[in-house]
Amino acid sequence: MPTNFTVVPVEDGIGENSCRSADSVFREEEKEPLRGHHSGDDCHQESSPFISPDHDRGHFYDGKNMALFEEEMDSNPMVSSLLNKLANYTNLTQGVREHEEAENEDGVRRVTITGSQMGTLIGVYLPCMQNILGVILFLRLTWIVGTAGILGSFAIVFMCCACTMLTAISMSAIATNGVVPAGGSYYMISRSLGPEFGGAVGLCFYLGTTFAGSMYILGTIEILLKYIIPEATVFVAEKKTDEPAVLLNNMRVYGTCCLALMALVVFVGVKYVNKLALVFLSCVVLSIMAIYAGVIRTVIEPPDYPICLLGNRSLKNHGFEKCLKIEVVKNVTHTTKLWSLFCDSEYLNATCDEYFTLNNVTEIQGIPGLLSGVIKDNLWGDYGPAGTFIESRSHSSVPALDNSQDLLNPYIFNDITTFFTLLVGIYFPSVTGIMAGSNRSGDLRDAQRSIPIGTILAIGTTSFIYISCVVLFGACIEGVVLRDKFGDSVKKNLVIGTLAWPSPWVIVIGSFFSCCGAGLQSLTGAPRLLQAIARDGIIPFLQVFGHGKDNGEPTWALLLTAGICEIGILIASLDAVAPILSMFFLMCYLFVNLACAVQTLLRTPNWRPRFKFYHWTLSFLGMSLCLSLMFISSWYYALVAMVIAGCIYKYIEYRGAETEWGDGFRGLSLSAVRYALIRLEEAPPHTKNWRPQLLVLCKLDSDLQVKHPHLLSFTTQLKAGKGLTIVGSVLEGTYMTSGSDAKTGEQNLRTAMSEAHTKGFCHVVVASNLRDGFSLLIQSAGLGGMKHNAVLMAWPAGWKQAQDSYPWKNFIETVRETTSAHQALLVAKNIDHFPGYNERLKEGTIDVWWIVHDGGLLMLLPFLLRQHKVWRKCKMRIFTVAQMDDNSIQMKKDLQMFLYHLRLDAEVEVVEMHDSDISAFTYEKTLVMEQRSQMLKQMQLSRTEREREAQLIHDRNTASHFGMNDKATASTPERVHMTWTKDKLVSERARNRESNIAVKDIFSMKPEWETLNQTNVRRMHTAVKLNEAVVNKSQNSQLVLLNMPGPPKNKEGDENYMEFLEVLMDGLDRVLLVRGGGREVITIYS
């Protein structure tokens, strides 16, 4: 259960407000449980309750000895101050101890807290003894010994006790590794394995404790109706065959009434349960002492409990007094009451049961004694299906041919099918209860000393009791009596009671009150465990159960506990309920061992338990034993328990509150990541393993919000949760001044990623300018082998309207950075028009325009997109360009065969682009582009002068399309004519020793500045013609993927490069420019 630490500062004599009154501290503590959602706040209270407390601010240190550190005193207190607070802190528990309230003379309510004074004996040893020794010992252990035999029972007891002993060793190590507030096993598991495992196992432990309450209540009612007042039944069987069903109905009625009464007692006040705890414990101790006294008495004078056998079958010893068929009284033969039970009349010539006629009756002693040698007969087990007769091995019988009336005769049967694994499941609840000491950790004087000693001693003592009882029961009691579950052969006495001294009623009354006390303890502890889970806030739908009465009593949790407990009572069979709670307890113990093993193997710096007698091999052995016992007891119950725990785990993982408790699995994850990263460094990934590991460059607006959230949605659609995704952004400034903005922006990025269902990492860097920031991200994002191989960014849509050239210059430099780093680049135009995460494209196409080979990335991206539900119904089309010298028909066949080998389904089309004259429109766009470029180079002019110059150029262009800029033409000896004939084109190619420039010049980007104008015109011509073809074929497609040409090596042509790209994408809505990283990313080989 969560525990709130209250720091009571010590008077330093400096300032009158240096410490607060205990009254105010306790009043604040009383309000703490009512705050509602905690969501992991306990972590901070546990880890740093003494660092930079609010009431320390404002302290002044006037001495000169610590002047060097005086500026840090507010956040880092002096060691002397820290030690004073450590020595005087109060660990207030919200557990079983109820706060007693009183009023002072002012009428203000105070909370008086009793100091933690319990030692090892009272606080740990005796509670564990009381919880371990209980209903199974008194009601089922003799039956288990008789059914499994002494050797089988010894194996069962040894396995279960070894399991709990190993778990106790692991629990002791965890419990002594720092302060464990009230909350016991849940606190230890959750803080060791994390909130997911903690919540799942905590709820399983809660369900186990709740069903344990059902088992104890059923045991109480069984003792009441079978051995104390058997005539107090509500339902009476009309037929002998209806007796089992009638018994179950009576158990349900009385069990429900008992549950309501116990829940009322718990609701009224836990202090009444605590006051009765000593009485219940005394009953357990007296009962065990009576058993050992009875065993000793059997050596001197065995008790007289005659057992009547018919043949070798045991008979119910009620309804008749003498174990005789007939008796002679005064030389006259009379039939007995036993005769009447098997015959149709009391006369000697009556028709009797065939088996009764063929076999004689024998009377033997049910408790022959310790020295009788009966131990030899009880060494081995006697399993059988339901309805099997309880028979003596040392007696023989004559079988009857007619067995039709056997069920109506007073034989004793097996009420359930018995086998070894069933007995393990029924017995295991008798060794649970080892957490009782750790659950009281907040009430102990020295928890780190008391919990290991008390728990291990309690397990050792109870293990000795159980093993000795197994041997003593098998050595003192006849086998047919041991297998008689309800004591019908000993006149409806409790079998273990027949061995007790001075009277069987000592055991009956003692076991009755022991079961009552255990049931009350379960109904007290289970709601508080649920309340602790609810207050941690890790499971949202349980938050209502974190509230209760004003004094912290968990009212709503008690109601839910009573409801679940009623389910176990409606099952009505103790033998059926016991395996259920065994599963939940075993799962809890399994994770306690796992927590200890993980912490030990990881060797985390904080793992420093004071209990030194542990080892990770013992923890793994205990974990393996728990898992084995789960499936040995009941494999289907084990699967159900695991499914329940798994569902809770996944629910907490996806919907639960995010908490960080420094759990061991986080350390395990870090170790695994480190190992994997080192392995990834050894060799680059093979082409078959290549997938886009994205670095997404996001922009933040002035409010530090994501400017293009659809970029993250597109990332999710492209990745489908696979591989690495890093979302980065850059803020201008210095980290000293913009550090808080960076954290805010990072949080906003994380929120946007969550809304877009993008799984990955985010990082915001602060740099002197955006250019350096993006360069830093491209160079250093990722770690080791988990580095990005592709960059995704949005097209700078407003680059022409920008007041300065930084947007497009940053963009081009980013393109150059990715090229130099051999990383792929994806540029999305009109990213805000892309579909969101929850949209569905019902039809349409994804068109790929494959101009140059870039390693196959153009082919791979549509395939990855179509794996996502947004693009799943879109078809894939691939276009390639054929020129004058190409065979378009053969190109199409080759491309289809290539796609077939790649296992890609797509339509193929070859677009023919023949050489043609350059149009006036192309020349005009080139001219405007060059003049605008020339204008922007005049950086020494003011903004007003540049605007005036731009207007003059615009007017000049409007007046005549044939004018040329003098500076532009000065460097070129020849002019470019508007109309190009084929002959002129051929001669120009030959003169410049170039080939195949019609389409591919735009992708080669090797300008010769001596012929700048000709090159610009040709490239603009290519962009215009290619754009016409793309718009003609793909204007209505859902997405167009284009090869992205590289930037010019000479930076003087950067603005022209942007213009070429703008023309290339003109008239298209959704465009993804793709530039490969220089390696093959798709292969035809398996």
Side-chain angles (χ1 to χ4, degrees):
M1 301 178 188
T3 298
N4 298 314
F5 289 92
T6 301
V7 179
V8 182
V10 182
E11 183 81 34
D12 283 338
I14 303 172
E16 59 183 359
N17 295 325
S18 61
C19 68
R20 295 179 294 174
S21 66
D23 182 31
S24 64
V25 172
F26 292 149
R27 280 203 300 271
E28 290 181 13
E29 188 67 16
E30 183 184 11
K31 296 176 183 177
E32 182 68 25
L34 302 178
R35 292 185 183 178
H37 184 74
H38 284 212
S39 68
D41 289 344
D42 299 310
C43 171
H44 304 292
Q45 294 172 353
E46 296 150 14
S47 59
S48 57
F50 313 110
I51 305 301
S52 64
D54 293 338
H55 52 268
D56 275 350
R57 300 195 182 278
H59 279 214
F60 297 97
Y61 297 87
D62 297 329
K64 298 179 181 178
N65 292 336
M66 293 295 147
L68 187 61
F69 302 95
E70 61 185 5
E71 293 184 358
E72 301 178 0
M73 290 298 184
D74 288 340
S75 59
N76 301 326
M78 293 179 61
V79 174
S80 59
S81 176
L82 173 66
L83 293 177
N84 281 334
K85 292 161 190 168
L86 282 169
N88 289 277
Y89 86 93
T90 304
N91 181 7
L92 300 181
T93 64
Q94 298 169 359
V96 175
R97 284 192 300 120
E98 190 178 68
H99 295 178
E100 297 181 0
E101 299 175 352
E103 291 189 359
N104 59 9
E105 60 274 8
D106 298 330
V108 180
R109 235 175 25 170
R110 284 189 176 181
V111 181
T112 303
I113 305 299
T114 306
S116 299
Q117 296 296 326
M118 287 195 293
T120 304
L121 180 66
I122 302 298
V124 181
Y125 180 75
L126 292 180
C128 286
M129 290 277 293
Q130 181 182 358
N131 280 268
I132 295 174
L133 300 172
V135 59
I136 301 297
L137 170 64
F138 300 120
L139 295 183
R140 291 294 183 269
L141 188 57
T142 54
W143 174 71
I144 291 174
V145 173
T147 305
I150 295 176
L151 296 179
S153 301
F154 182 85
I156 294 173
V157 173
F158 178 79
M159 283 194 303
C160 296
C161 291
C163 176
T164 55
M165 180 62 77
L166 293 172
T167 304
I169 293 173
S170 300
M171 183 192 71
S172 299
I174 298 174
T176 58
N177 188 49
V179 178
V180 179
S185 58
Y186 163 69
Y187 183 92
M188 290 188 292
I189 295 172
S190 62
R191 269 58 176 181
S192 297
L193 298 182
E196 293 86 2
F197 278 105
V201 180
L203 279 183
C204 286
F205 190 55
Y206 163 74
L207 292 174
T209 307
T210 304
F211 277 104
S214 301
M215 184 186 71
Y216 293 131
I217 291 174
L218 290 174
T220 302
I221 302 306
E222 183 176 314
I223 295 171
L224 180 70
L225 295 182
K226 281 286 187 179
Y227 310 112
I228 299 179
I229 44 175
E231 62 276 2
T233 54
V234 178
F235 305 99
V236 179
E238 297 181 358
K239 300 179 182 178
K240 191 176 182 63
T241 54
D242 296 336
E243 287 182 357
V246 169
L247 174 63
L248 294 180
N249 289 331
N250 285 316
M251 297 278 285
R252 293 185 179 104
V253 172
Y254 278 95
T256 303
C257 296
C258 183
L259 172 62
L261 182 62
M262 288 185 177
L264 182 62
V265 171
V266 174
F267 177 78
V268 169
V270 183
K271 57 186 177 183
Y272 301 111
V273 178
N274 294 335
K275 290 178 181 179
L276 292 173
L278 185 60
V279 177
F280 300 142
L281 180 60
S282 302
C283 293
V284 174
V285 174
L286 289 176
S287 300
I288 293 174
M289 291 176 63
I291 294 171
Y292 284 109
V295 171
I296 296 172
R297 181 173 175 267
T298 61
V299 178
I300 304 169
E301 182 184 357
D304 183 25
Y305 283 99
I307 305 300
C308 190
L309 300 178
L310 178 59
N312 62 353
R313 296 179 183 177
S314 178
L315 299 177
K316 294 181 179 179
N317 199 358
H318 48 85
F320 62 93
E321 297 293 335
K322 298 178 180 180
C323 187
L324 297 171
K325 291 184 178 180
I326 56 174
E327 60 179 346
V328 178
V329 180
K330 296 180 181 181
N331 296 326
V332 179
T333 303
H334 298 277
T335 59
T336 61
K337 291 183 179 180
L338 180 62
W339 179 281
S340 302
L341 295 175
F342 288 90
C343 302
D344 57 1
S345 70
E346 60 184 10
Y347 301 106
L348 292 174
N349 59 352
T351 302
C352 298
D353 179 77
E354 182 181 359
Y355 187 85
F356 180 78
T357 305
L358 295 175
N359 293 277
N360 295 323
V361 292
T362 308
E363 188 174 77
I364 61 174
Q365 278 298 321
I367 314 293
L370 188 63
L371 304 178
S372 62
V374 72
I375 188 173
K376 297 178 181 179
D377 298 329
N378 293 330
L379 282 176
W380 307 104
D382 189 2
Y383 304 101
T388 304
F389 300 110
I390 303 298
E391 299 177 339
S392 173
R393 295 193 187 97
S394 58
H395 294 75
S396 59
S397 65
V398 180
L401 297 177
D402 184 13
N403 298 321
S404 59
Q405 300 298 315
D406 285 347
L407 292 176
L408 301 178
N409 293 325
Y411 298 122
I412 301 176
F413 302 92
N414 279 337
D415 60 333
I416 59 174
T417 300
T418 56
F419 42 90
F420 180 79
T421 57
L422 173 73
L423 300 184
V424 174
I426 293 175
Y427 173 76
F428 187 81
S430 65
V431 297
T432 58
I434 63 173
M435 300 290 185
S438 62
N439 290 341
R440 295 167 178 251
S441 57
D443 303 329
L444 299 175
R445 186 185 304 116
D446 185 0
Q448 296 192 9
R449 178 179 179 274
S450 297
I451 289 177
I453 296 175
T455 304
I456 293 176
L457 283 179
I459 294 176
T461 304
T462 52
S463 299
F464 172 77
I465 291 174
Y466 280 124
I467 292 175
S468 62
C469 284
V470 166
V471 177
L472 294 177
F473 291 165
C476 295
I477 305 176
E478 183 65 43
V480 290
V481 179
L482 289 173
R483 292 190 292 278
D484 182 6
K485 183 185 293 185
F486 300 111
D488 290 319
S489 61
V490 287
K491 298 183 178 179
K492 293 189 175 181
N493 280 305
L494 184 63
V495 174
I496 195 174
T498 60
L499 187 63
W501 182 85
S503 170
W505 284 100
V506 176
I507 298 292
V508 173
I509 301 301
S511 61
F512 177 80
F513 284 110
S514 172
C515 292
C516 286
L520 284 172
Q521 292 289 345
S522 297
L523 290 179
T524 302
R528 281 164 176 75
L529 180 59
L530 181 62
Q531 187 183 45
I533 300 172
R535 285 182 172 176
D536 266 347
I538 58 176
I539 305 178
F541 70 85
L542 290 181
Q543 289 183 12
V544 65
F545 300 107
H547 305 288
K549 294 194 293 186
D550 293 339
N551 59 2
E553 290 297 310
T555 307
W556 294 107
L558 177 61
L559 291 177
L560 179 64
T561 301
I564 298 175
C565 195
E566 177 65 17
I567 296 175
I569 289 174
L570 292 178
I571 296 175
S573 172
L574 190 148
D575 300 325
V577 173
I580 297 176
L581 64 100
S582 295
M583 292 303 109
F584 293 121
F585 278 119
L586 279 167
M587 183 166 290
C588 178
Y589 296 165
L590 184 149
F591 281 99
V592 169
N593 286 292
L594 177 61
C596 181
V598 168
Q599 297 277 26
T600 305
L601 289 175
L602 290 178
R603 298 179 181 177
T604 54
N606 193 52
W607 179 246
R608 304 184 300 273
R610 290 190 177 275
F611 180 77
K612 301 299 182 182
F613 304 100
Y614 71 94
H615 195 265
W616 66 268
T617 54
L618 296 178
S619 299
F620 267 109
L621 180 61
M623 184 177 63
S624 304
L625 192 54
C626 288
L627 187 63
S628 302
L629 287 175
M630 286 178 67
F631 284 92
I632 286 174
S633 302
S634 175
W635 63 269
Y636 44 89
Y637 280 157
L639 292 178
V640 170
M642 288 182 172
V643 168
I644 292 175
C647 292
I648 298 171
Y649 178 94
K650 299 304 291 184
Y651 177 82
I652 296 174
E653 185 179 19
Y654 286 107
R655 297 294 303 276
E658 294 183 4
T659 56
E660 176 53 53
W661 289 330
D663 54 271
F665 267 97
R666 184 174 179 83
L668 184 63
S669 300
L670 290 173
S671 298
V673 167
R674 172 184 169 276
Y675 175 77
L677 285 174
I678 292 175
R679 290 293 302 273
L680 283 175
E681 283 276 23
E682 294 178 359
H686 192 270
T687 301
K688 292 185 289 185
N689 300 325
W690 195 95
R691 66 167 60 249
Q693 317 283 14
L694 290 181
L695 169 63
V696 185
L697 300 180
C698 275
K699 289 185 178 180
L700 301 179
D701 57 21
S702 57
D703 296 329
L704 300 178
Q705 299 294 328
V706 178
K707 192 172 182 180
H708 300 295
H710 278 240
L711 193 63
L712 299 177
S713 297
F714 182 69
T715 303
T716 304
Q717 297 158 20
L718 188 61
K719 300 289 292 182
K722 308 296 183 184
L724 175 69
T725 301
I726 303 174
V727 181
S729 187
V730 179
L731 297 180
E732 288 189 279
T734 62
Y735 191 76
M736 296 295 293
T737 58
S738 304
S740 60
D741 291 342
K743 293 179 180 178
T744 303
E746 198 164 304
Q747 183 60 43
N748 293 339
L749 269 181
R750 195 173 288 111
T751 303
M753 291 174 65
S754 177
E755 293 174 355
H757 300 269
T758 304
K759 297 181 179 180
F761 311 96
C762 62
H763 189 49
V764 176
V765 298
V766 182
S768 57
N769 55 71
L770 297 178
R771 167 74 190 86
D772 292 342
F774 286 128
S775 177
L776 180 64
L777 283 174
I778 292 173
Q779 293 178 59
S780 60
L783 181 64
M786 286 296 287
K787 291 184 69 69
H788 62 279
N789 54 27
V791 177
L792 172 63
M793 60 189 301
W795 170 258
W799 68 275
K800 286 186 178 181
Q801 290 77 29
Q803 295 181 356
D804 50 43
S805 59
Y806 287 124
W808 59 267
K809 283 189 175 181
N810 289 339
F811 173 80
I812 295 177
E813 288 302 316
T814 303
V815 176
R816 287 195 174 100
E817 290 272 356
T818 56
T819 303
S820 300
H822 301 288
Q823 296 174 3
L825 177 64
L826 312 178
V827 180
K829 179 191 176 187
N830 294 334
I831 186 61
D832 294 330
H833 297 175
F834 277 55
Y837 179 81
N838 295 320
E839 297 182 38
R840 301 288 187 278
L841 299 179
K842 298 182 180 179
E843 58 182 359
T845 60
I846 300 176
D847 290 354
V848 177
W849 284 82
W850 192 19
I851 310 301
V852 295
H853 182 57
D854 59 352
L857 185 58
L858 271 175
M859 306 291 186
L860 187 61
L861 292 178
F863 170 78
L864 295 176
L865 281 175
R866 292 181 65 217
Q867 305 304 306
H868 197 271
K869 56 188 176 183
V870 174
W871 304 90
R872 189 163 294 152
K873 294 185 179 180
C874 294
K875 296 180 180 180
M876 179 178 170
R877 297 193 301 179
I878 296 181
F879 297 89
T880 190
V881 176
Q883 300 182 67
M884 293 178 57
D885 301 333
D886 296 327
N887 186 340
S888 58
I889 298 176
Q890 187 62 38
M891 282 181 63
K892 185 173 182 178
K893 291 181 179 179
D894 294 341
L895 183 54
Q896 288 174 337
M897 181 59 64
F898 181 59
L899 293 177
Y900 175 79
H901 288 303
L902 290 177
R903 290 89 65 199
L904 295 176
D905 296 326
E907 299 179 9
V908 175
E909 186 171 344
V910 177
V911 178
E912 296 182 352
M913 292 185 63
H914 300 295
D915 291 342
S916 61
D917 292 341
I918 299 178
S919 64
F921 174 74
T922 302
Y923 180 76
E924 181 179 353
K925 288 192 72 69
T926 307
L927 182 61
V928 173
M929 175 189 71
E930 289 190 352
Q931 292 182 346
R932 181 179 184 277
S933 173
Q934 184 68 25
M935 177 192 67
L936 293 177
K937 288 179 182 178
Q938 299 175 0
M939 300 301 298
Q940 70 276 14
L941 299 178
S942 65
R943 181 179 302 175
T944 305
E945 292 172 333
R946 277 184 283 172
E947 290 177 355
R948 187 184 304 115
E949 183 72 16
Q951 185 64 37
L952 290 175
I953 293 174
H954 180 269
D955 295 341
R956 194 183 313 149
N957 291 334
T958 305
S960 174
H961 289 301
F962 300 102
M964 300 291 290
N965 188 283
D966 294 338
K967 294 183 180 181
T969 57
S971 61
T972 308
E974 296 181 7
R975 291 179 176 271
V976 179
H977 299 282
M978 285 184 58
T979 304
W980 283 47
T981 63
K982 185 175 181 181
D983 295 337
K984 289 181 179 180
L985 177 61
V986 172
S987 63
E988 189 67 19
R989 283 180 179 173
R991 191 178 67 83
N992 291 307
R993 298 179 181 178
E994 296 177 352
S995 62
N996 197 20
I997 64 170
V999 176
K1000 294 187 179 180
D1001 269 353
I1002 191 172
F1003 301 103
S1004 62
M1005 280 302 175
K1006 297 178 180 178
E1008 298 178 11
W1009 299 113
E1010 294 79 10
T1011 58
L1012 177 63
N1013 292 342
Q1014 297 177 15
T1015 304
N1016 286 344
V1017 170
R1018 292 198 306 271
R1019 289 174 178 171
M1020 183 62 74
H1021 173 70
T1022 303
V1024 170
K1025 297 297 292 182
L1026 188 56
N1027 174 258
E1028 289 178 358
V1030 174
V1031 170
N1032 183 41
K1033 296 289 185 180
S1034 305
Q1035 188 171 19
N1036 296 323
S1037 64
Q1038 298 290 359
L1039 179 63
V1040 177
L1041 281 80
L1042 281 169
N1043 282 117
M1044 181 180 182
K1049 292 184 178 180
N1050 192 329
K1051 296 185 178 181
E1052 293 181 2
D1054 286 355
E1055 61 274 16
N1056 299 340
Y1057 173 71
M1058 295 295 292
E1059 194 73 46
F1060 293 145
L1061 294 182
E1062 193 74 60
V1063 172
L1064 186 62
M1065 298 184 292
D1066 189 30
L1068 300 173
D1069 186 19
R1070 299 175 187 150
V1071 181
L1072 185 66
L1073 293 177
V1074 180
R1075 183 165 173 78
R1079 61 162 295 170
E1080 293 291 334
V1081 301
I1082 193 169
T1083 177
I1084 63 175
Y1085 300 104
S1086 60

